[in-house]
Amino acid sequence: MNTEFIYQKDADNIVTVTMDMNGPVNAINDGFIAALKETLDRLEQEPDLAGVIITSAKKTFVAGGDLNELIAAQPGQEEGVFTRTQMIKSLFRRIEKLSAPSVAAINGAALGGGLELALSCNCRIAVNHRSVQLGLPEVGLGLLPGGGGIVRLTSLIGFQKAFPYLMDGKKINAEKALSEGFIHALAADQTALLATAKNWIINNAAGSEGASQPWDRKGFRIPGGNESSPGMSQQIAMASAALFKKTRGLLPAPEFILNTMVEVLRVDFDTALTIESRQFSQLVTRPEAKNMINAFFFQMNQVAGGKSRPKIAEKHTVKKLGVLGGGMMGQGIAMVAAQVGIEVVIKDVSIESAAKAKAYAENGFAKLVAKGRMTAEDASRALARIKLSVDVADLQGCDFIIEAVFENIELKHALVKEAETMLADGGVWASNTSTLPITRIAAASSKPENFIGMHFFSPVDRMPLLEIICGEQTSDETLAKAFDLAKQLRKMPIVVNDAPGFYTSRTISTPIQEAAQLIAEGVDAVRIENVGKSVGWPVGPLALQDEVSQKLSLDIIDAQIAMGLRKPEDDPTPQGTALMRCLLNEHGRGGRVHGGGYYEYSESGKAIWSKLKALYFKEAVDSAISDADIRDRLLFRPVIESLVCLQDGVLRSVADGNIGSIMGIGAPSWTGGYLQFVNTYGLERFAERCTTLAEAYGERFRAPAIVADKIAEGANFN
C-alpha cells in the first residue's frame, strides 16, 4: 500500500486523499503516478462511495511534472513520451469517470500538472490566500500543457478566454481564478477548505449534474462556440497573426498550443486529448524546449538559490540605504528599496534634484496601487521611507551606500572620499557603474575589501537582473552582503569578476558594433534590422543603439581609451566605429534622446534616417552577402564574447552567463542563453562556422580556445 497518498474515509462515505510525496513538493513523477493509480483502483472498488476530496499535505497543491524526466527525453523517443503522457491522462480521465463526485481542495500553488489534476475534478475550491496561484506556465519552458490542460481549459472557458492563459502562461490568484471560471468557490483557510468541499459533495450526489464534467454531458457546447461558430474563424486567424508577430516563428511551443486549441474546437474531447499528447511528445524533444527548461528552471534556480554566494551562513539585511544621485538609476534604486521596507536617503547636489527622484517613486507606487499590486497604505508607508538630502551627514549609519552618478571616474572617486566614512561598521560601498572597472573606482576607498559593483538595469523597478561585480580586493563577506541585498530588493543576481564593461555591457555592444560595421561595408540598414529581428531580439540592433545613444557608446569607448583599458588599433570593427563617429560629429546623429540616430522620429513613428542609404549603401556588397551571414555575424558576436568572458574568468559560471544574457541583454529565449546556444548548435559545428566567418569577415569571429578545450574533453558548457 502506498504511503504517499493518505486515504481517509469518513462516516459519510467521503474519501479524502491527501497527497504527501517524499520531498518538498508533490511532483508528477513515477512515484506520484503509482500512488494515484493505486488510489484510483481503491476508489473504484469502494462500496457506497459518496465523493472524493483531493488535497495536499504540502504548502503547494501539486508542483507539476518532473522536469528532470522531460529534459532527458531525446529525439527518437517521442513515441515513449506519447505513451507515458497518454497513461497519465488516462488516470486523470478515471477521476472524471468515478461513480461519485470529486473535489480538488487547493491549499497552495496549482501550476502546470497541478492545475491539470484539479481541472479533472468536478469541483475546484481554493484557499483565498496569496500563496495560492493557478496557471499553466509550460509555454515559458518551451513546452505545452500535456496533461489535458489545453483541452480542459479551452473546453471550460472557451478559446478567447483561454488564449492568454495558455499562450502567455499567466498565473492568477484565487480570487481571479474564481472570477475567470477556473474554480467554483473560495475558503478562508484549510479547515474551511475541507468543510466546504464536503458540503459541496453532500449537495451534489452521484448522478447529479454537478457530479459530472461539462464535456461529458449531453449537448455540451464550448463557451464561445466551436470552429464553425460565427466569428470563430476570424478569432483564430487574428490569434495566429498576433502569435507570429510576437514569436517570429522562433518559438514552437506557442504554435503547437494554438494548433491544439483549434483541434479542441474541431473534434470530440477524447480525440483532442490524444492530439494534445501527440503535440506534447513532438515538442518535448526539440532543442528549444531543452534550452528553455535548462535556462528558465534549472539555471534560474541555481542563480536565484545562491550558488554564486560565498558560503557565509549569516544572512545580511539592509535597514538603511544611501543612494548618491537622484537620476534615472538612483531614483529606480530608491523606489525598489523603499518598497521592500528599507529606509532610503537620496543625496544629490540639490534638494530639487533629489525631489525628482522621490516624485518618480511616488508616481511608480501610484501605478502599482492602480493595478492592485500595492495598497494605498503600503504606498504611503514606502514613500515615507525616502528622505531627501544634500548633506553627507544624513548618510551616517547606512548599511550600504550605492553611488549612481554618471560615468566619470574622478567624480566617483570624489564621492567615495567624501561619504565613505558615513557607512556603519562593516558597511558596503557599491558603485552602479555599467562600464568602469570596479578595482579602479575602489582605488579611492580606504577599505577596498568593502567595495563592490552593483550594476542595475534600467528601468530599475521593472528589470529583474542585477549584475554584481567583484573587484580585485572585494571580500567574500562583501559579496555575500551584496547578494543578500539583491535578494532583498527582489532582483536576480549574477556574479562576475572585474573587467571593462564586465559581462553584460561588453556583450550587448557587440551586435550593435557589428551592425555599424555592416552598414559601413555597404549593407542596407533596413535589411540589417529585419535580419536582426529574425534572430529573436525584440528590436533590431540599430534601434537598440538609438535607445542606448550613439553618443554614450562613443563616450564609453573614449573613456576606456583614455584610461588605457583599450587601444584604438585593437578595435575589432574599425569601420563601424568610424561610421559612428561620422554620424555623431558630422551629422549630429547621437541617438534618439539627441533627436535621432540611425532612425529619424516623428509623431507618426520612426524610420531609418533617409540619408543613411545615400551615404553608405553599396548594391554590389549588399547583394553579395547572404541573410544567413548577416544573421550569424550579428548573433555570433555576443555568443563569442560570452565565451571569451567565460574563458577569461569574467563569468564565474555558465548559469550566470545564460541568465545574464537572457534577463539583462535580450538574448532570445529560444537560445537558452548565449552559452547554451553553443551546446545546441554543436561545439564542432560552431567552431567550423566561426572559422568560415573569420576567414570571410575577420578574426573577431574566430572561436575562442575554450571551445576547442571543451571539444577535446567531450563536454558541453554546463
Side-chain angles (χ1 to χ4, degrees):
M1 180 180 294
N2 91 77
T3 58
E4 296 182 313
F5 277 25
I6 302 166
Y7 191 103
Q8 297 171 304
K9 185 177 178 181
D10 67 12
D12 295 317
N13 291 321
I14 296 173
V15 173
T16 300
V17 178
T18 306
M19 301 174 289
D20 191 13
M21 302 295 295
N22 290 328
V25 297
N26 298 315
I28 301 177
N29 52 25
D30 287 343
F32 184 97
I33 292 166
L36 180 57
K37 183 180 184 302
E38 184 178 330
T39 300
L40 285 166
D41 290 343
R42 189 173 174 184
L43 286 168
E44 288 165 350
Q45 298 301 314
E46 278 285 356
D48 304 318
L49 181 66
V52 181
I53 300 169
I54 300 177
T55 191
S56 169
K58 309 290 188 183
K59 292 181 179 179
T60 58
F61 181 68
V62 175
D66 188 332
L67 291 174
N68 285 294
E69 293 178 359
L70 295 179
I71 203 169
Q74 298 301 314
Q77 298 177 344
E78 289 82 3
E79 198 60 35
V81 174
F82 172 76
T83 301
R84 179 180 172 82
T85 305
Q86 284 289 86
M87 182 265 292
I88 295 170
K89 275 196 170 89
S90 71
L91 298 177
F92 289 178
R93 198 72 174 109
R94 284 171 67 184
I95 296 173
E96 294 182 313
K97 295 292 187 177
L98 285 170
S99 61
S102 57
V103 181
I106 303 168
N107 61 307
L111 300 172
L115 180 57
E116 289 176 308
L117 172 63
L119 289 171
S120 303
C121 296
N122 303 136
C123 176
R124 291 165 295 282
I125 303 169
V127 174
N128 190 11
H129 188 268
R130 64 178 180 272
S131 65
V132 174
Q133 279 193 318
L134 291 88
L136 296 166
E138 285 88 346
V139 68
L141 297 175
L143 298 171
L144 59 78
I150 299 174
V151 180
R152 287 190 175 88
L153 192 64
T154 304
S155 299
L156 183 68
I157 63 177
F159 178 90
Q160 190 170 14
K161 282 184 71 174
F163 187 82
Y165 292 107
L166 291 165
M167 213 58 66
D168 301 330
K170 285 177 61 177
K171 302 172 188 176
I172 52 176
N173 62 24
E175 288 186 347
K176 181 70 171 177
L178 179 65
S179 67
E180 288 291 275
F182 282 51
I183 61 175
H184 299 84
L186 298 175
D189 53 33
Q190 181 73 13
T191 302
L193 177 67
L194 295 177
T196 305
K198 288 187 178 184
N199 286 336
W200 185 89
I201 288 173
I202 291 168
N203 293 322
N204 290 270
S208 67
E209 183 175 272
S212 64
Q213 294 287 64
W215 37 86
D216 288 328
R217 299 172 198 155
K218 188 176 180 179
F220 169 71
R221 282 177 54 82
I222 294 174
N226 59 21
E227 187 188 28
S228 62
S229 300
M232 185 56 70
S233 294
Q234 185 179 6
Q235 280 189 44
I236 294 169
M238 290 173 62
S240 181
L243 182 63
F244 186 81
K245 183 178 180 182
K246 180 179 179 180
T247 68
R248 303 188 185 99
L250 295 168
L251 297 173
E255 182 181 332
F256 278 45
I257 291 171
L258 178 58
N259 291 343
T260 306
M261 291 182 74
V262 173
E263 292 295 337
V264 175
L265 306 180
R266 290 176 175 164
V267 301
D268 66 85
F269 185 83
D270 287 303
T271 301
L273 287 175
T274 302
I275 291 170
E276 182 190 88
S277 296
R278 185 64 69 190
Q279 294 275 288
F280 178 81
S281 64
Q282 296 300 312
L283 187 61
V284 75
T285 60
R286 290 184 60 145
E288 297 90 346
K290 295 190 181 304
N291 287 347
M292 294 175 74
I293 292 170
N294 184 59
F296 294 113
F297 184 79
F298 291 109
Q299 293 189 338
M300 191 83 79
N301 287 341
Q302 181 179 324
V303 171
K307 188 171 182 180
S308 295
R309 185 187 185 275
K311 306 304 179 198
I312 294 172
E314 184 181 357
K315 294 289 190 293
H316 187 260
T317 301
V318 172
K319 296 178 180 178
K320 182 178 180 181
L321 173 71
V323 178
L324 304 185
M328 180 174 64
M329 300 305 294
Q331 61 195 15
I333 295 168
M335 176 182 167
V336 297
Q339 189 176 351
V340 300
I342 300 173
E343 300 294 327
V344 181
V345 178
I346 302 176
K347 181 187 177 298
D348 211 324
V349 293
S350 69
I351 286 294
E352 291 76 19
S353 297
K356 290 178 182 177
K358 189 165 185 175
Y360 177 89
E362 184 174 17
N363 184 52
F365 293 147
K367 290 178 180 177
L368 293 175
V369 171
K371 292 177 181 177
R373 292 168 55 191
M374 195 178 197
T375 67
E377 293 76 15
D378 285 344
S380 179
R381 282 192 287 268
L383 195 64
R385 295 186 188 108
I386 300 175
K387 178 179 180 180
L388 311 181
S389 177
V390 294
D391 186 354
V392 70
D394 288 329
L395 298 169
Q396 184 70 49
C398 283
D399 307 292
F400 251 85
I401 292 176
I402 300 178
E403 163 268 300
V405 300
F406 59 88
E407 300 287 70
N408 180 288
I409 197 162
E410 288 78 17
L411 174 59
K412 292 177 185 288
H413 280 169
L415 290 174
V416 173
K417 291 175 181 176
E418 177 190 30
E420 188 181 41
T421 56
M422 297 295 107
L423 282 167
D425 186 39
V428 174
W429 186 284
S431 177
N432 176 54
T433 180
S434 59
T435 59
L436 298 176
I438 293 303
T439 304
R440 290 282 190 98
I441 306 174
S445 172
S446 62
K447 296 180 179 179
E449 67 276 11
N450 293 353
F451 200 104
I452 201 163
M454 296 184 75
H455 174 206
F456 291 82
F457 293 76
S458 181
V460 177
D461 46 302
R462 293 205 298 272
M463 291 293 281
L465 192 74
L466 199 162
E467 184 178 28
I468 299 174
I469 309 102
C470 294
E472 291 178 5
Q473 294 176 267
T474 301
S475 70
D476 280 355
E477 185 177 3
T478 296
L479 171 56
K481 289 179 178 179
F483 193 98
D484 293 344
L485 175 58
K487 298 296 291 182
Q488 193 177 347
L489 296 175
R490 300 170 186 165
K491 297 297 181 185
M492 180 68 68
I494 65 168
V495 179
V496 303
N497 289 325
D498 200 13
F502 321 128
Y503 170 57
T504 57
S505 294
R506 67 188 271 183
T507 304
I508 198 173
S509 68
T510 54
I512 291 173
Q513 293 164 351
E514 195 61 33
Q517 181 75 13
L518 281 160
I519 294 175
E521 290 171 9
V523 181
D524 181 44
V526 173
R527 185 180 175 206
I528 293 167
E529 287 291 82
N530 289 335
V531 173
K533 285 187 283 188
S534 77
V535 170
W537 290 314
V539 297
L542 304 179
L544 178 60
Q545 174 67 99
D546 267 14
E547 296 301 326
V548 171
S549 162
Q550 192 98 273
K551 184 179 185 304
L552 177 60
S553 294
L554 287 168
D555 286 346
I556 291 169
I557 290 172
D558 290 340
Q560 290 181 346
I561 290 171
M563 293 173 67
L565 300 173
R566 65 193 296 169
K567 298 177 181 178
E569 59 268 27
D570 294 336
D571 190 338
T573 51
Q575 290 175 267
T577 304
L579 176 142
M580 292 166 64
R581 293 191 188 282
C582 178
L583 290 179
L584 176 65
N585 298 328
E586 297 182 26
H587 302 282
R589 311 299 298 178
R592 184 167 189 169
V593 73
H594 301 288
Y598 288 114
Y599 283 85
E600 47 195 359
Y601 301 87
S602 65
E603 291 182 1
S604 59
K606 66 181 183 182
I608 290 291
W609 182 43
S610 56
K611 293 183 181 180
L612 196 61
K613 192 166 187 176
L615 286 170
Y616 293 103
F617 179 69
K618 298 173 186 174
E619 187 171 354
V621 173
D622 186 73
S623 60
I625 185 171
S626 67
D627 282 356
D629 276 12
I630 295 173
R631 184 179 188 273
D632 284 354
R633 284 178 64 172
L634 294 172
L635 178 57
F636 275 48
R637 284 296 307 281
V639 171
I640 290 170
E641 194 66 32
S642 297
L643 290 165
V644 171
C645 286
L646 186 65
Q647 176 177 279
D648 293 351
V650 176
L651 280 172
R652 292 184 166 200
S653 75
V654 170
D656 282 337
N658 284 329
I659 297 305
S661 65
I662 291 172
M663 298 184 71
I665 53 178
S669 58
W670 64 267
T671 65
Y674 285 138
L675 294 170
Q676 177 62 20
F677 169 80
V678 184
N679 294 338
T680 306
Y681 198 90
L683 271 67
E684 291 185 359
R685 180 175 168 234
F686 178 80
E688 290 169 2
R689 181 58 173 154
C690 284
T691 298
T692 301
L693 291 171
E695 290 173 352
Y697 304 110
E699 286 300 304
R700 63 189 178 279
F701 292 106
R702 192 74 63 185
I706 194 172
V707 178
D709 293 342
K710 289 291 183 182
I711 292 171
E713 295 170 12
N716 280 341
F717 292 100
N718 296 316

